[in-house]
């Protein structure tokens, strides 16, 4: 059993520590206060005597341990001195510390737990000292306070000793590799070869060593191009390509030439799209065209690029009435569409018109069926709009969450006493909770009522209220167990954002005071009630992950508040997990996500972590502006369960101290990495010009995703133009996210290699350089890459300009006459005497080593440089197996370059060479430096565990 398996099998305990030292403290707020958790005691904290960094507190464990997590307790109320940004460092000594966490805390009363970095080179490492460095308080000019710190981990002595031994070996090996890197770069060939042989340490993977030789030892560097081509074919560059940013490629889908008028859907917003992956067909239903609701049904054939109107008026086939702000989901296996919900104008609301009808459409037969006249009477949601609905196709279960409940009057049928008992205000709208519909049994179940419906009842709502979604339900569960759920509470519905109008001002007179979900990585020391409820909303996004069987819910609007939370809901266990804020924690083996009970878990077996950029949406937390999407409304989201990605196209954004803004951006969220990436950002507002190259900003649009071909499709929406408030869009777009291909990457690398070769020739022979420019360099240009074209033109111009290379790189120190050290005896008679040195007492004299015995031949240096030692460099077992299986093909390469022009060994001329021509040696040093930089550029295409260390020995020298 290895150390990782032992760590997983070992129990995690709370580790005891004492305060070792601190930077400063104020009055009675000493650092010892953080050991005890007293959230009700305002004096139980460590407070610095200044807000100016550096401030720190050093904690010393009773014994070395593997510290896996840290928990920060807080005061029972928000406090201006609470930590906003912090770092956590750890190590076996107080001088040598490693960054374990770089993040921050929310300004609330809930404890937060973070996973600390505790794995290096796929092995746990122990620490004895923990250094907590608060960087900023929530009040920027206030001293910083830490209320409580708790450390958790494993302190099994046998495991800790093993991990400490492994980490010591790793540190020694990495130190040797840094030395080898320095020696090779400076062309100390004999020292490089001797250290390699003596320590049996490999600087890098043999493929990289051969690439280094191809770049630095041979005149034409053709072998470097061949190595890169084989590496791409073997899949060694895949990791780099997958890490490259996606590039959005928009394409407007126009009707084919000769198409008849009205052969495509008209302008609309608040409509619905769904995608049938089996037939590659997109279905569109309903919407609002700026004047009226629609109920036409269309289908789009992707392969033929044609729209077909299935029905201009679905009521004629017994289908739904005109509607907008409804939702549609599809069962591609059984070829069925489901639609639920709609918006009704306040002037048209009557008891008969406020029933939540639920329809089914059979794609094969073209038949509509009304499943239920009013789902509210069957234990399902009341009539709602701007909700979300997704389907678990395998189990034939539909999940509905959120949405605004429509009522005829805000006080109809509700007495003042009932409203007061329910804690309602006249302006409070009514939101719908989480519901599940089982298709096979035609039954509804209320999984989570909206927390404001139940008042205090929501605080005790347990996690055992739902049944397994796969089970067959035979009875209809009532909507709620409390009579308060029947209270009708709504405000001016027209003022909530809908496709009919832009919510420039929301008419609610009160904003929500309920706290949102806590962040990931945050957990309460006691399972607080706030973690048990779901905050219903409108205009949010909800996605179902069929593999991990959980719902992803993000953003939306409740009252005047643009929500910024991002959380998951396990459909089989009724567990809510809040995905974290921008803590930028450096966790190693899965960063924490907190469930309702405050336990640390993972999402569906995948490592769900707090990471750089983190997951929480919006402002209100220390973060860079483009780390996460801004708080928004009507954003559209899709999921790719294979790539483990969530895609979000923003809609109406709420920026701090600004009005509502229609400005689209496209984000990709990596589920395993818990990281957001901004792929596309349109700076033009909805009132700006439309250049036709990309869609104008909008909201109330619709977006679907073809996960097989990795293409998004978007139709219509509201551009939010103040001059044309009733304008809606009818444009249709395809969006494909592209990464560089291996072929494109190889072309870039070949261009860099030949550009480097050309610049060397330009210094030596202008005529030869011109010929090389017109032939080999010209062939390497990607004419679709404007940067390469401009660079080629620049290179052609510089050939005829007098210039000198920057020959500022000196030859190795071994080629220069070194002055003797000052004030140190020379002992030349001992160092260079042929007589053996005298023996020490009781010890035989050591053998005499002559100078010629130390000299290593050119061939020996090459063999040492490319040796496949038994000690692997810092790579995981999986990576090693993958890399070793392709290394044999590279070993067959035969370097038959001009040996007279090559530098010797693993990095340059041997010390036996006499530098008789300083100018020539300066040129070779200049060329070697340039080619080494070229190698560093090419090496970044390979996995990090194959390459030489990033650390430079010279950087470690104190100034």
């Amino acid at each position: 059993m290895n150390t990782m398996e032992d760590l997983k099998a070992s129990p995690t305990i709370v580790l005891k520590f004492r305060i070792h030292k601190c930077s400063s403290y104020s009055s009675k707020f000493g650092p010892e206060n953080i050991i005890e958790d007293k959230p009700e005691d305002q004096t139980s904290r460590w407070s610095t005597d200044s807000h100016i960094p550096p401030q720190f507190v050093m904690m010393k464990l009773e014994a070395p341990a593997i510290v896996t997590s840290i928990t920060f307790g807080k005061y029972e109320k928000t406090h201006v001195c609470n930590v906003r940004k912090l770092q956590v460092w750890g190590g076996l000594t107080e001088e040598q510390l490693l960054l374990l966490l770089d993040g921050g805390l929310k300004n609330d009363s809930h404890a937060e737990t973070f996973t600390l970095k505790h794995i290096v080179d796929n092995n746990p490492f122990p620490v004895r000292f923990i250094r907590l460095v608060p960087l900023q308080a929530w009040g920027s000019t206030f001293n910083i306070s830490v209320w409580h710190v708790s450390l958790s981990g494993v302190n099994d002595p046998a495991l800790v000793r093993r991990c400490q031994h492994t980490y010591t070996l790793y540190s020694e090996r990495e130190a040797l590799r840094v030395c080898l890197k320095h020696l090779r770069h400076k062309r100390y060939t004999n020292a490089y070869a001797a250290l390699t042989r003596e320590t049996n340490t490999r600087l890098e993977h043999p493929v990289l060593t051969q690439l280094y030789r191809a770049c630095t030892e041979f005149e034409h560097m053709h072998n470097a191009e061949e190595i890169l081509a084989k590496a791409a074919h073997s899949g060694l560059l895949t990791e780099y390509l997958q890490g490259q940013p996606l590039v959005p490629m928009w394409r407007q889908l126009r009707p084919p030439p000769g198409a008849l008028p009205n052969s495509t859907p008209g302008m609309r917003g608040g409509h619905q799209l769904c995608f049938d992956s089996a037939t590659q067909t997109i279905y569109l239903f309903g919407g609002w065209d700026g004047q009226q609701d629609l109920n036409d049904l269309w289908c789009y054939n992707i392969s033929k690029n044609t729209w077909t109107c299935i029905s201009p008026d679905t009521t004629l086939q017994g289908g739904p009435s005109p509607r907008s702000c409804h939702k549609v989901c599809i069962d591609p296996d059984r070829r069925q569409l489901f639609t639920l919900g709609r918006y009704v104008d306040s002037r048209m609301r009557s008891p008969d018109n406020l029933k939540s009808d639920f329809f089914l459409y059979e794609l094969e037969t073209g038949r509509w069926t009304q499943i239920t006249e009013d789902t509210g009477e069957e234990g399902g949601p009341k009539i709602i709009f701007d909700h979300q609905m997704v389907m678990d196709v395998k189990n034939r279960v539909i999940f509905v969450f959120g949405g605004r409940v429509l009522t005829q009057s805000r006080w109809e049928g509700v007495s003042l006493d009932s409203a007061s008992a329910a804690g309602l205000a006249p302006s409070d709208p009514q939101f719908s909770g989480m519901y599940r519909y089982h298709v096979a049994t035609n039954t509804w179940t209320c999984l989570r009522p909206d927390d404001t419906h139940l008042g205090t009842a929501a605080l005790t709502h347990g996690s055992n209220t739902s049944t397994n979604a796969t089970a067959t339900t035979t009875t209809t569960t009532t909507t709620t167990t409390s009579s308060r759920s029947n209270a009708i509470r709504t405000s001016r519905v027209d003022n909530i954002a809908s496709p009919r109008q832009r919510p420039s001002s929301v008419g609610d007179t009160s904003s929500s005071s309920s706290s949102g979900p806590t962040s990931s990585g945050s957990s309460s020391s006691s399972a607080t009630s706030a973690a048990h409820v779901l905050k219903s909303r409108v205009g949010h996004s909800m996605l179902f992950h069929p593999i991990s069987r959980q719902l992803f819910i993000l953003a939306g609007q409740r009252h005047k508040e643009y929500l910024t939370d991002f959380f998951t809901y396990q459909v089989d266990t009724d567990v809510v997990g809040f995905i974290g804020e921008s803590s930028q924690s450096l966790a190693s083996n899965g960063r924490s996500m907190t469930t309702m009970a405050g336990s640390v878990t993972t999402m569906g077996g995948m490592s769900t972590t707090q990471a750089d950029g983190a997951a929480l949406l919006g402002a209100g937390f220390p973060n860079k502006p483009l780390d996460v999407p801004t708080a928004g409304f009507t954003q559209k989201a899709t999921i790719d369960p294979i790539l483990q990605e969530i895609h979000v196209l923003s809609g109406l954004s709420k920026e701090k101290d600004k009005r509502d803004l229609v400005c689209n951006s496209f984000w990709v969220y990596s589920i395993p990495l818990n990281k957001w990436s901004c792929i596309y950002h349109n700076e033009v507002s909805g009132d700006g010009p439309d250049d036709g190259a990309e869609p104008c900003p909008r909201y109330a649009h619709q977006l679907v995703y073809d996960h097989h071909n990795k293409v998004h499709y978007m139709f219509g929406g509201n551009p939010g133009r103040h001059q044309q408030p009733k304008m809606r869009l009818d444009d249709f777009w395809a969006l494909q996210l592209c990464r560089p291909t291996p072929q494109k990457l190889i072309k870039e690398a070949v261009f860099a290699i030949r550009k480097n070769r050309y610049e060397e020739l330009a210094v030596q022979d202008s005529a030869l350089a011109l010929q090389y420019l017109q032939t080999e360099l010209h062939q390497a240009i990607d004419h679709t890459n404007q940067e390469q074209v401009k660079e080629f033109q620049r290179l052609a111009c510089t050939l005829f300009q007098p210039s000198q290379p920057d020959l500022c790189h000196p030859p190795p120190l071994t080629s220069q006459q070194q002055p003797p050290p000052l004030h140190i005896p020379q002992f030349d008679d001992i160092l260079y005497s042929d007589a053996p040195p005298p023996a020490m007492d009781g010890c035989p004299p050591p053998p005499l080593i002559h100078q010629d015995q130390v000299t290593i031949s050119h061939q020996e240096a090459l063999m040492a440089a490319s040796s496949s030692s038994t000690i692997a460099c810092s790579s995981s077992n999986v990576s090693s197996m993958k890399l070793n299986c392709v290394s044999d093909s590279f070993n067959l390469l035969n370097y038959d370059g001009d040996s007279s022009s090559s530098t010797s060994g693993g990095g340059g001329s041997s010390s036996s060479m006499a530098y008789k021509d300083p100018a020539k040696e300066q040129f070779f040093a200049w060329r070697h430096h340039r080619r080494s930089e070229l190698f560093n550029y090419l090496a970044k295409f390979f996995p990090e565990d194959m390459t030489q260390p990033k650390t430079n020995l010279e950087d470690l020298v104190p100034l």
Side-chain angles (χ1 to χ4, degrees):
M1 183 178 291
N2 57 31
T3 54
M4 285 299 298
E5 293 174 346
D6 288 343
L7 178 63
K8 294 177 181 179
S10 302
T12 300
I13 63 172
V14 176
L15 302 172
K16 295 181 179 181
F17 63 88
R18 63 178 177 85
I19 302 300
H20 183 62
K21 63 172 66 172
C22 72
S23 56
S24 65
Y25 65 92
S26 299
S27 182
K28 57 185 177 181
F29 305 117
E32 292 79 9
N33 291 332
I34 68 174
I35 299 178
E36 295 187 64
D37 187 15
K38 298 180 180 179
E40 70 287 347
D41 185 358
Q42 191 174 6
T43 64
S44 180
R45 53 174 162 148
W46 166 57
S47 183
T48 63
D49 67 353
S50 172
H51 67 278
I52 301 175
Q55 303 291 333
F56 72 90
V57 58
M58 181 79 76
M59 296 165 279
K60 184 177 182 180
L61 299 172
E62 289 185 343
I66 302 168
V67 183
T68 57
S69 65
I70 184 171
T71 299
F72 295 93
K74 301 178 185 177
Y75 184 50
E76 60 183 357
K77 301 177 183 178
T78 60
H79 200 284
V80 70
C81 293
N82 281 348
V83 177
R84 187 175 187 179
K85 296 181 181 179
L86 59 86
Q87 290 180 340
V88 178
W89 298 73
L92 288 170
T93 65
E94 55 182 303
E95 294 83 13
Q96 297 180 334
L97 301 176
L98 181 68
L99 181 62
L100 308 181
L101 174 69
D102 185 4
L105 303 179
K106 295 178 66 177
N107 190 16
D108 58 18
S109 60
H110 303 296
E112 296 188 55
T113 298
F114 300 90
T115 299
L116 298 179
K117 178 175 181 178
H118 58 278
I119 294 177
V120 171
D121 194 31
N122 203 33
N123 284 289
F125 64 90
V127 298
R128 183 73 186 275
F129 294 89
I130 296 291
R131 182 186 179 105
L132 173 61
V133 183
L135 302 175
Q136 182 183 356
W138 276 94
S140 58
T141 60
F142 285 79
N143 295 346
I144 308 172
S145 292
V146 178
W147 301 83
H148 172 62
V149 173
S150 176
L151 302 174
S152 299
V154 176
N155 64 351
D156 178 63
L159 177 60
V160 170
R161 282 195 300 269
R162 287 172 53 200
C163 293
Q164 185 171 349
H165 176 69
T166 304
Y167 183 70
T168 301
L169 293 178
Y170 164 80
S171 301
E172 182 179 355
R173 184 174 66 243
E174 290 305 296
L176 290 170
R177 293 178 64 225
V178 171
C179 293
L180 288 172
K181 175 185 177 181
H182 177 79
L183 294 174
R184 185 175 71 173
H185 180 68
K186 296 300 182 181
R187 299 188 296 160
Y188 299 130
T189 307
N190 288 346
Y192 175 86
L195 185 60
T196 300
R197 182 182 64 250
E198 181 72 18
T199 62
N200 199 26
T201 300
R202 190 172 65 191
L203 173 60
E204 61 207 354
H205 194 277
V207 173
L208 272 299
T209 300
Q210 295 190 31
L211 179 62
Y212 180 86
R213 293 180 55 203
C215 289
T216 59
E217 297 179 14
F218 300 95
E219 189 73 20
H220 300 288
M221 295 188 289
H222 292 315
N223 288 326
E225 299 179 13
E226 184 180 355
I227 290 174
L228 287 169
K230 289 187 176 182
H233 180 72
S234 302
L236 294 181
L237 310 185
T238 302
E239 181 178 325
Y240 175 82
L241 291 171
Q242 291 179 344
Q244 294 306 291
L246 294 164
V247 178
M249 302 294 292
W250 287 102
R251 177 169 53 94
Q252 187 169 5
L253 302 175
R254 304 178 185 274
L260 297 176
N262 300 322
S263 60
T264 61
M267 298 182 294
R268 66 192 68 204
H271 50 289
Q272 279 293 291
L273 293 180
C274 61
F275 174 69
D276 184 359
S277 58
T279 61
Q280 290 289 292
T281 304
I282 297 173
Y283 292 91
L284 181 151
F285 174 63
W288 169 265
D289 65 0
Q291 300 291 336
Q292 62 182 354
D293 282 326
L294 306 170
N295 65 335
D296 50 347
L297 178 63
W298 294 76
C299 69
Y300 174 77
N301 187 296
I302 294 178
S303 59
K304 297 180 181 179
N305 186 30
T306 56
W307 283 99
T308 302
C309 183
I310 300 176
S311 173
D313 185 353
T314 56
T315 55
L316 300 178
Q317 290 83 38
S321 59
R323 60 194 59 208
S324 61
C325 303
H326 55 295
K327 287 297 174 285
V328 169
C329 64
I330 186 172
D331 183 345
D333 294 346
R334 299 164 186 85
R335 312 278 294 138
Q336 295 175 333
L337 291 180
F338 298 86
T339 181
L340 174 71
R342 68 185 188 278
Y343 177 78
V344 180
D345 190 89
S346 59
R347 296 168 297 178
M348 302 175 61
R349 295 175 194 167
S350 64
D352 292 337
N353 201 26
L354 290 179
K355 293 181 179 180
S356 177
D357 50 7
F358 186 31
F359 283 89
L360 162 69
Y361 179 71
E362 301 282 351
L363 295 175
E364 294 292 345
T365 63
R367 184 180 64 183
W368 283 98
T369 302
Q370 187 179 51
I371 302 174
T372 305
E373 183 181 8
D374 188 356
T375 57
E377 297 294 331
E378 303 292 335
K382 299 177 182 180
I383 182 170
I384 52 178
F385 72 96
D386 280 344
H387 51 293
Q388 283 298 325
M389 183 169 70
V390 296
M391 187 169 191
D392 174 6
V393 176
K394 179 181 178 181
N395 296 309
R396 302 191 68 191
V397 172
I398 295 175
F399 296 94
V400 180
F401 175 65
R404 181 88 172 260
V405 179
L406 290 177
T407 55
Q408 184 178 2
S409 169
R410 101 175 27 116
W411 296 103
E412 180 181 358
V414 181
S415 66
L416 291 177
D417 292 339
S418 299
S420 176
L424 307 179
S427 60
D428 283 340
Q430 184 177 351
F431 294 93
S432 184
M434 174 74 75
Y435 290 85
R436 182 184 67 209
Y437 174 72
H438 197 271
V439 179
T441 59
N442 188 26
T443 55
W444 285 94
T445 302
C446 180
L447 301 176
R448 293 291 186 98
D450 181 32
D451 61 333
T452 57
H453 279 210
L454 300 181
T456 58
L459 301 182
T460 59
H461 183 74
S463 60
N464 57 352
T465 58
S466 69
T467 56
N468 193 307
T470 61
T472 302
T473 307
T474 58
T475 60
T476 303
T477 305
T478 58
T479 305
T480 178
T481 59
S482 173
S483 61
R484 296 179 183 176
S485 63
N486 296 323
I488 300 174
R489 301 172 296 115
T490 178
S491 66
R492 287 174 287 176
V493 179
D494 295 337
N495 287 327
I496 285 292
S498 74
R500 307 191 182 193
Q501 67 178 53
R502 181 179 177 180
S504 56
S505 63
V506 180
D508 297 327
T509 59
S510 66
S511 61
S512 173
S513 61
S514 59
S515 60
T518 56
S519 69
S520 127
S522 73
S523 65
S524 175
S525 55
S526 60
T528 59
S529 58
H532 287 252
V533 296
L534 290 181
K535 196 177 195 178
S536 296
R537 73 278 311 276
V538 295
H540 52 292
S541 296
M542 183 171 74
L543 305 164
F544 177 68
H545 195 302
I547 300 176
S548 62
R549 297 195 51 74
Q550 59 187 346
L551 300 173
F552 287 85
I553 303 171
L554 67 155
Q557 184 183 10
R558 183 182 179 96
H559 302 279
K560 292 182 179 180
E561 180 185 8
Y562 279 64
L563 301 176
T564 62
D565 49 359
F566 185 18
F567 57 95
T568 62
Y569 177 78
Q570 292 285 348
V571 299
D572 296 331
T573 59
D574 190 41
V575 172
V576 178
F578 297 103
I579 300 177
E581 290 189 344
S582 61
S583 314
Q584 298 187 358
S585 75
L586 301 173
S588 52
N589 66 335
R591 307 169 183 105
S592 62
M593 181 187 70
T594 307
T595 65
M596 292 192 309
S599 60
V600 177
T601 184
T602 56
M603 297 162 61
M606 300 170 291
S607 296
T608 305
T609 61
Q610 288 181 301
D612 301 337
L616 188 80
L617 305 179
F621 195 86
N623 212 336
K624 293 180 292 185
L626 294 182
D627 277 346
V628 296
T630 57
F633 177 80
T634 74
Q635 70 287 324
K636 304 304 175 184
T638 63
I639 189 169
D640 191 322
I642 305 302
L643 296 180
Q644 299 288 342
E645 290 178 346
I646 291 175
H647 315 113
V648 177
L649 180 62
S650 67
L652 194 67
S653 299
K654 171 71 71 175
E655 298 190 354
K656 188 175 181 181
D657 300 329
K658 293 183 180 180
R659 59 179 175 84
D660 300 320
L661 179 66
V662 183
C663 185
N664 291 146
S665 57
F666 195 92
W667 295 78
V668 175
Y669 172 71
S670 172
I671 297 175
L673 299 179
N674 191 21
K675 182 177 182 179
W676 286 101
S677 300
C678 184
I679 306 303
Y680 161 79
H681 189 76
N682 190 332
E683 298 291 347
V684 181
S685 66
D687 290 319
D690 185 4
D691 58 6
E694 60 186 34
C696 68
R698 63 195 67 199
Y699 68 100
H701 49 287
Q702 278 301 312
L703 185 76
V704 292
Y705 180 58
D706 177 2
H707 65 274
H708 293 298
N709 297 307
K710 314 302 181 187
V711 180
H712 284 86
Y713 296 91
M714 183 182 71
F715 184 89
N718 185 345
R721 295 180 178 174
H722 294 86
Q723 298 84 355
Q724 300 172 293
K726 293 186 177 181
M727 179 182 179
R728 299 298 181 268
L729 302 171
D730 62 352
D731 50 349
F732 190 35
W733 294 83
L735 170 63
Q736 192 161 13
L737 305 178
C738 305
R739 282 190 173 94
T741 62
Q743 294 75 16
K744 185 176 181 64
L745 183 63
I746 292 301
K747 290 200 70 172
E748 292 181 3
V750 169
F751 178 77
I753 293 172
R754 297 187 182 182
K755 172 190 170 184
N756 188 86
R757 174 61 179 158
Y758 162 78
E759 290 174 336
E760 292 178 3
L761 291 174
V763 175
Q764 297 174 285
D765 190 332
S766 298
L768 189 60
L770 179 61
Q771 180 182 0
Y772 188 86
L773 178 77
Q774 296 173 335
T775 54
E776 297 195 42
L777 184 56
H778 183 267
Q779 294 172 1
I781 293 179
D782 180 5
H783 293 279
T784 63
N785 188 332
Q786 294 300 318
E787 293 183 2
Q788 283 193 15
V789 173
K790 292 180 181 179
E791 180 67 8
F792 178 79
Q793 296 171 350
R794 185 192 68 80
L795 293 172
C797 295
T798 57
L799 182 63
F800 304 99
Q801 297 176 359
S803 60
Q804 293 294 330
D806 182 17
L807 302 180
C808 60
H809 305 286
L813 295 176
T814 53
S815 65
Q816 305 175 14
Q817 183 68 29
Q818 299 297 313
L822 300 177
H823 311 299
I824 297 179
Q826 293 306 297
F827 303 114
D828 289 342
D829 55 336
I830 298 178
L831 293 176
Y832 302 107
S833 172
D834 291 336
M840 302 292 291
D841 294 340
C843 298
L848 180 66
I849 302 178
H850 294 279
Q851 183 67 23
D852 56 356
Q853 292 179 278
V854 180
T855 304
I856 300 176
S857 67
H858 172 72
Q859 193 63 28
E860 288 175 336
L862 288 180
M863 293 176 63
S866 60
S867 172
S868 300
S869 64
T870 57
I871 304 294
C873 59
S874 59
S875 60
S876 63
N877 295 334
V878 176
S879 299
S880 298
M881 289 188 292
K882 177 186 73 172
L883 301 176
N884 291 334
C885 68
V886 299
S887 61
D888 293 340
S889 61
F890 290 96
N891 293 333
L892 299 177
L893 293 176
N894 181 23
Y895 294 99
D896 53 355
D898 183 4
S899 60
S900 63
S901 63
S902 66
T903 57
S904 62
S909 305
S910 67
S911 58
S912 60
M913 293 181 59
Y915 299 103
K916 298 180 179 180
D917 188 346
K920 185 176 181 180
E921 174 54 28
Q922 285 280 59
F923 171 78
F924 279 119
W926 170 78
R927 188 178 74 169
H928 177 78
H929 176 80
R930 287 177 50 81
R931 292 194 171 197
S932 296
E933 293 299 320
L934 172 64
F935 167 76
N936 292 335
Y937 168 76
L938 300 177
K940 73 178 184 180
F941 300 150
F942 292 82
E944 186 175 349
D945 53 11
M946 290 182 65
T947 61
Q948 62 185 3
K950 293 183 179 180
T951 304
N952 296 314
L953 188 62
E954 294 169 318
D955 298 337
L956 305 179
V957 178
L959 299 178

